[in-house]
Amino acid sequence: MKLLIDIGNTRIKWQWRDASVSSSLEALVHRGQPQFVSLLEVAWRSANAVPDQVLVANVASTGVADELARLVRALWGLDVRVAHAEHRRGGVSNAYTEPERMGVDRWLAMLGAYRRYAGQPLCIVDAGTAITVDVLTAQGQHLGGLILPGRRLMCESLFGNTQRIPAEMLAAEQALGRDTAHCVAAGVELAAIGAVEKTLEQAALACGSQPLCCITGGDGEALASGLVKPSVVVPDLVFEGLDLWSAPQSVCP
Ligand SMILES: Nc1ncnc2c1ncn2[C@@H]1O[C@H](COP(=O)(O)OP(=O)(O)OP(=O)(O)O)[C@@H](O)[C@H]1O
Ligand SMILES: CC(C)(CO)[C@@H](O)C(=O)NCCC(=O)O
Ligand SMILES: [K+]
């Protein structure tokens, strides 16, 4: 049994996997919650499972990952394996000249998407604390990507830097708002949708056919429902990639 862990800037998400079964995703907020280690301990003890491998993807501080590694050692006497972005793996080539600077969540989402949907161009979207969009050709060449603030960060930047926009975060209901909170919701939603749709258009030109849009992340469903172009939502895309990353046959060439 493997325990796969994705540490984002807002939440820690985890999934138990063995050869045949993947558990549903579980998550807890670690930001501003110093007791997250004891909450994790309760959650993992109650799973009544003993992992033989613990794999970690971390884009938060190393302090969070270190505390988690201590817990894993205390519970099961295991060292965690920490994934990182690379030049090449599993048929995917990274466009970054310094791949170690890319967030590993982006790299793993690309590996996961390529494993599932290789053979067509892909546009991989992770809608979390930040929103990332990355384009892969049908042959697995990463063409590059974009990073923008996620839904909550976009809202908070407005709430924190204006006098007359109160801190009220709503889901967007219509394209155009008719009061402040709905205008913010519409603006934030359209910023994300516009970024993805524009990238899809440019990627279609660059790749010669319409890419499949693979979406993951806490705000993924909401983003997908606003897109005109077809998309698939894969909540455990980063875990698919982490599982692939840890497989012995996927040694980095
Ligand atoms: N309790 C919560 N606190 C803050 N945001 C939350 C909470 N629950 C859900 N969210 C939503 O989840 C989004 C973050 O999604 P997700 O959990 O995928 O990101 P993350 O893993 O924490 O961040 P990232 O991986 O981008 O660093 C936020 O934009 C917010 O809308
Ligand atoms: C962009 C985020 C925050 C998304 O989780 C993460 O992938 C990250 O911290 N990336 C490092 C910068 C980069 O990917 O170029
Ligand atoms: K993420």
Side-chain angles (χ1 to χ4, degrees):
M1 184 77 88
K2 289 180 192 172
L3 174 58
L4 310 185
I5 304 165
D6 171 17
I7 310 175
N9 282 292
T10 306
R11 299 191 300 166
I12 296 179
K13 289 139 277 180
W14 66 93
Q15 185 178 49
W16 298 87
R17 282 191 179 216
D18 67 19
S20 53
V21 200
S22 304
S23 75
S24 57
L25 287 188
E26 293 176 90
L28 61 82
V29 175
H30 66 85
R31 230 168 89 120
Q33 215 166 27
Q35 74 278 30
F36 81 90
V37 174
S38 38
L39 294 175
L40 268 183
E41 181 172 355
V42 170
W44 288 348
R45 279 189 193 280
S46 71
N48 276 327
V50 176
D52 48 35
Q53 274 189 71
V54 180
L55 303 157
V56 173
N58 177 35
V59 297
S61 71
T62 48
V64 172
D66 289 347
E67 286 196 56
L68 190 145
R70 265 197 296 278
L71 174 62
V72 167
R73 174 154 280 289
L75 284 176
W76 302 300
L78 290 174
D79 287 327
V80 302
R81 277 184 72 197
V82 179
H84 51 85
E86 303 145 306
H87 276 295
R88 206 183 293 278
R89 185 184 288 262
V92 179
S93 297
N94 198 324
Y96 267 38
T97 42
E98 295 179 281
E100 62 283 359
R101 293 189 184 270
M102 170 185 273
V104 69
D105 51 353
R106 293 173 64 192
W107 179 240
L108 297 176
M110 286 196 271
L111 296 184
Y114 194 71
R115 169 149 87 174
R116 278 200 184 202
Y117 303 110
Q120 59 194 315
L122 298 172
C123 182
I124 297 120
V125 179
D126 191 341
T129 309
I131 298 168
T132 58
V133 187
D134 283 285
V135 175
L136 284 184
T137 66
Q139 294 75 35
Q141 176 60 54
H142 177 224
L143 299 181
L146 22 147
I147 302 173
L148 58 153
R151 193 169 95 86
R152 188 170 47 85
L153 288 186
M154 285 195 229
C155 290
E156 284 176 358
S157 75
L158 286 171
F159 303 155
N161 293 283
T162 58
Q163 288 303 317
R164 297 177 188 220
I165 302 182
E168 188 183 359
M169 222 173 108
L170 298 180
E173 287 164 8
Q174 288 173 320
L176 301 175
R178 292 192 201 91
D179 58 54
T180 307
H182 285 98
C183 287
V184 169
V188 163
E189 179 171 282
L190 220 63
I193 290 170
V196 174
E197 296 211 321
K198 194 76 194 164
T199 307
L200 280 168
E201 272 173 32
Q202 289 168 344
L205 289 177
C207 300
S209 63
Q210 185 62 51
L212 176 66
C213 187
C214 299
I215 305 184
T216 194
D219 293 327
E221 285 284 355
L223 178 57
S225 67
L227 286 179
V228 176
K229 301 254 169 26
S231 60
V232 286
V233 177
V234 186
D236 60 352
L237 197 58
V238 172
F239 296 95
E240 290 268 338
L242 188 54
D243 199 19
L244 181 70
W245 184 88
S246 72
Q249 67 271 24
S250 72
V251 170
C252 194

